[in-house]
């Protein structure tokens, strides 16, 4: 083990804020008194281009001259207190019910955070899958980029297929 590896520490925290346009954000943790820098490259190495404010996050951190910064993301959990609707009839889904659905590989067609929704295409299927911003937030994301590879858990709604969970492509292949 090198000296740099010995300095790494694993911390559980919450995303204070993250701005993909700026390329960074901060994590707060009860295990550390100050803010922890989360750089966009570290998040991208985990397989996400964004993360929701308030999301739980498990990271490896390193102490530097400029403060503590995350060097690896190990896990991202949805923000606390969010309840996920399943379908359009105000039915609620438990995490177990959602986890029982198959992960379907998809690519983001477009997503507009301002409008609060977007669409993805599942590989090998012609119809679009609706992705709502609250599903994205509950899944630990803040935004999606057109062309981004993801995996979706999907249900049939009155107006067609809709995502109930979004998982980064990299995370899905690790499971």
């Amino acid at each position: 083990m090198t000296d740099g590896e010995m300095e790494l520490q694993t911390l559980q925290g919450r995303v204070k804020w993250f701005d993909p346009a700026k390329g960074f954000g901060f994590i707060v943790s009860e295990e550390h008194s100050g803010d922890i820098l989360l750089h966009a490259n570290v998040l991208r190495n985990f397989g996400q281009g964004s993360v929701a404010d308030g999301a739980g996050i498990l990271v490896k951190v390193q102490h530097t001259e400029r403060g503590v910064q995350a060097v690896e993301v190990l896990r991202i959990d949805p923000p606390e207190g969010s309840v996920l609707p399943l379908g359009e009839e105000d039915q609620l889904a438990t995490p177990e019910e959602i986890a029982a659905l198959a992960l379907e590989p998809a690519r983001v067609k477009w997503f507009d955070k301002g409008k609060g929704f977007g669409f993805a295409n599942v590989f090998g299927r012609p119809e679009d899958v609706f992705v709502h911003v609250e599903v994205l937030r509950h899944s630990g994301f803040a935004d999606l980029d057109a062309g981004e590879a993801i995996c979706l858990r999907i249900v049939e709604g009155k107006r067609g297929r809709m995502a109930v969970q979004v998982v980064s492509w990299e995370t899905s292949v690790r499971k």
Side-chain angles (χ1 to χ4, degrees):
M1 223 188 283
T2 67
D3 289 339
E5 288 175 317
M6 291 175 67
E7 295 175 18
L8 294 183
Q9 178 184 4
T10 301
L11 294 177
Q12 176 69 44
R14 292 232 157 261
V15 176
K16 183 175 182 178
W17 62 267
F18 184 83
D19 186 338
K22 290 182 179 179
F24 69 93
F26 290 96
I27 300 166
V28 291
S29 173
E30 291 180 10
E31 303 169 48
H32 177 71
S33 60
D35 289 350
I36 300 161
L37 176 67
L38 175 60
H39 195 273
N41 288 339
V42 174
L43 191 58
R44 276 194 287 276
N45 287 341
F46 180 71
Q48 290 186 206
S50 67
V51 64
D53 295 350
I57 189 164
L58 182 66
V59 292
K60 286 188 179 178
V61 299
Q62 186 172 40
H63 296 265
T64 70
E65 291 178 8
R66 300 181 78 188
V68 179
Q69 61 185 24
V71 295
E72 183 181 1
V73 175
L74 302 173
R75 189 180 76 234
I76 295 176
D77 300 315
E80 287 181 1
S82 53
V83 180
L84 188 61
L86 179 60
E88 299 172 37
E89 302 293 317
D90 292 327
Q91 303 166 346
L92 299 179
T94 66
E96 293 78 23
E97 289 171 327
I98 292 171
L101 297 170
L103 275 173
E104 299 186 46
R107 192 163 298 279
V108 177
K109 186 174 181 179
W110 62 269
F111 190 83
D112 187 325
K113 191 175 175 182
K115 290 181 179 178
F117 67 92
F119 291 92
N121 298 115
V122 171
F123 296 117
R125 294 194 62 151
E127 71 275 14
D128 291 343
V129 177
F130 179 77
V131 182
H132 192 271
V133 70
E134 282 305 311
V135 169
L136 203 62
R137 185 180 182 300
H138 184 81
S139 300
F141 289 79
D143 206 351
L144 292 173
D145 292 323
E148 189 173 343
I150 55 176
C151 281
L152 301 173
R153 294 194 199 295
I154 300 168
V155 296
E156 289 291 335
K158 283 184 180 176
R159 297 182 193 118
R161 291 167 45 91
M162 52 191 293
V164 292
Q165 185 181 30
V166 179
V167 178
S168 73
W169 180 259
E170 287 83 353
T171 300
S172 72
V173 296
R174 285 192 286 246
K175 290 186 176 191

